[in-house]
């Protein structure tokens, strides 16, 4: 089955692409062979869009799609929505916010739930991104749910990481700044028509100044008003410039090692799930349950 999916992957058939993504997302037997057979054309650019909740990431992504399409690019988008910790379902709101693109021949959008993943990403986000890279798109955009310091995970799959902030995010930046300075290739201050936006941008630039000597270049800080379309063309240009000048970024080996680590970890944990652990816990009388002994027993069983 995977051979036929692979053969259709580069055909431009969006239904075939959707079936391939579902095949990989659900871990159907043969998906590992399909992934191992993928070939990626040169020049495909993966951009991660992250930042705290309420920063307007989805509106920004929607506008960025328009800017890239206007430039003649084919764009694929993975939108990750938070899922319930109890039933792992999610309200995939991006299907509403980006509805104008669902019938566009140059755009493919897939909404995903985090399925309990703590990093703001889907547990198979690396594999799904690589499927899209092999499907003939020029740009792949990955929008995360925005969960604070765990956003650092997006740097493990993106060529360019865009961190979206709003003028009121001063306190959040202080708590997140170590991670942000490590992962951000471009900062976007969205909703920059709000009061004090210029002051926030100036303070952000001053806060990041000590890091420029480490990065050896200044990180761009762009102002946008995404719901009005302002600044989105400049953002698309900045992403393209970064991709052209950082085809092999200094952190490339770190990123590849991070990808390998996540994939190996996933395979090692394949026999375990939240549901199976809950069932094993429920089988132990509460008065006899000891967390660390339980973990040791599970680990010894898996090894």
């Amino acid at each position: 089955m995977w051979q036929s999916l692979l053969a259709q992957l580069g055909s431009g058939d969006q239904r075939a692409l959707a079936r391939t993504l579902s095949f990989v997302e659900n871990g159907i037997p043969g998906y590992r062979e399909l992934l191992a057979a993928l070939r990626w054309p040169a020049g495909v650019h993966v951009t991660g869009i992250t930042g705290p909740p309420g920063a307007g990431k989805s509106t920004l992504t929607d506008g960025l799609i328009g800017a890239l399409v206007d430039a003649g690019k084919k764009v694929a988008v993975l939108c990750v929505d938070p899922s319930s910790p109890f039933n792992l379902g999610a309200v995939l709101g991006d299907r509403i916010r980006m509805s104008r693109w669902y019938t566009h021949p140059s755009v493919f959008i897939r909404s995903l739930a985090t399925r309990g993943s703590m990093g703001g990403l889907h547990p198979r986000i690396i594999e799904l991104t690589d499927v899209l890279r092999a499907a003939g798109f020029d740009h792949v955009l990955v929008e995360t749910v925005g969960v604070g310091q765990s956003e650092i995970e997006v740097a493990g799959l993106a060529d360019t990481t865009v961190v979206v902030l709003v003028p009121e995010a001063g306190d959040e930046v202080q708590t997140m700044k170590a991670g942000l300075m490590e992962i951000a290739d471009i900062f976007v201050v969205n909703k920059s028509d709000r009061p004090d936006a210029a002051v926030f941008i100036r303070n952000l630039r001053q806060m990041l100044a000590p890091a420029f000597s480490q990065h050896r270049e200044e990180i761009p800080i762009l102002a946008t008003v995404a719901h009005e379309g302002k600044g989105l063309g400049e953002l698309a240009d900045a992403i393209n410039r970064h991709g052209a000048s950082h085809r092999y970024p200094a952190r490339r080996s770190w990123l590849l090692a991070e990808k390998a680590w996540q994939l190996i970890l996933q395979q090692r944990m394949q026999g375990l799930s939240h549901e199976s652990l809950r069932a094993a816990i429920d089988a132990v009388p509460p008065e006899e349950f000891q967390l660390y002994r339980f973990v040791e027993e599970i680990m010894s069983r898996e090894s």
Side-chain angles (χ1 to χ4, degrees):
M1 178 180 179
W2 68 266
Q3 293 91 339
S4 62
L5 290 174
L6 183 66
Q8 298 176 70
L9 191 55
S11 67
D13 186 338
Q14 293 203 356
R15 288 177 297 180
L17 175 56
R19 287 194 296 270
T20 305
L21 290 170
S22 296
F23 183 81
V24 172
E25 181 181 5
N26 296 317
I28 295 172
Y31 87 96
R32 291 171 63 184
E33 290 81 357
L34 184 149
L35 291 169
L38 291 177
R39 296 293 182 269
W40 298 289
V44 183
H45 193 88
V46 179
T47 300
I49 300 173
T50 188
K57 294 185 295 296
S58 294
T59 305
L60 188 85
T61 302
D62 178 67
L64 185 57
I65 295 170
L68 292 170
V69 169
D70 288 346
K73 305 297 184 182
K74 292 187 65 178
V75 184
V77 186
L78 290 176
C79 302
V80 188
D81 279 289
S83 56
S84 165
F86 301 104
N87 58 27
L88 301 187
V91 178
L92 301 178
D94 298 295
R95 295 191 182 278
I96 299 171
R97 289 189 288 269
M98 301 179 188
S99 58
R100 64 179 173 137
W101 298 114
Y102 274 88
T103 58
H104 198 287
S106 296
V107 179
F108 178 88
I109 298 175
R110 179 73 168 228
S111 290
L112 304 169
T114 56
R115 296 190 175 186
S117 176
M118 296 301 292
L121 297 173
H122 186 280
R124 287 208 173 99
I125 191 71
I126 295 172
E127 296 95 317
L128 297 175
T129 301
D130 281 341
V131 169
L132 292 175
R133 287 177 61 218
F137 293 97
D138 301 303
H139 283 261
V140 179
L141 306 179
V142 181
E143 180 206 335
T144 76
V145 300
V147 287
Q149 292 239 351
S150 296
E151 291 160 354
I152 294 171
E153 280 194 11
V154 76
L157 64 92
D159 301 309
T160 301
T161 300
V162 177
V163 175
V164 186
L165 303 169
V166 288
E168 300 84 358
D171 292 339
E172 291 176 347
V173 170
Q174 288 300 320
T175 59
M176 297 163 59
K177 63 181 181 180
L180 287 174
M181 286 191 291
E182 288 296 325
I183 71 169
D185 297 306
I186 300 170
F187 280 103
V188 170
V189 179
N190 193 29
K191 307 179 185 180
S192 60
D193 55 340
R194 292 183 176 180
D196 299 328
V199 174
F200 176 77
I201 292 173
R202 184 171 64 249
N203 291 341
L204 179 61
R205 186 168 284 114
Q206 290 174 350
M207 187 193 76
L208 294 173
F212 295 157
S213 60
Q214 299 171 15
H215 286 276
R216 303 196 176 196
E217 62 183 88
E218 186 170 331
I219 302 172
I221 301 175
L222 306 179
T224 64
V225 185
H227 71 277
E228 296 180 2
K230 294 180 179 178
L232 298 177
E234 291 83 352
L235 175 58
D237 290 342
I239 290 172
N240 288 329
R241 284 196 302 272
H242 181 269
S245 60
H246 295 75
R247 181 58 59 194
Y248 297 104
R251 62 185 181 187
R252 179 171 180 266
S253 59
W254 181 89
L255 297 181
L256 290 174
E258 181 70 13
K259 288 184 180 183
W261 170 268
Q262 293 294 336
L263 292 172
I264 293 169
L265 182 64
Q266 186 182 105
Q267 293 301 322
R268 291 286 182 91
M269 297 290 288
Q270 196 167 22
L272 293 176
S273 68
H274 194 272
E275 291 76 10
S276 66
L277 290 175
R278 285 178 60 188
I281 290 170
D282 289 341
V284 181
E287 64 276 7
E288 297 180 12
F289 182 81
Q290 209 278 349
L291 175 62
Y292 302 101
R293 186 166 59 246
F294 174 79
V295 170
E296 290 297 329
E297 290 172 357
I298 293 293
M299 291 177 63
S300 62
R301 188 187 311 167
E302 290 301 312
S303 60

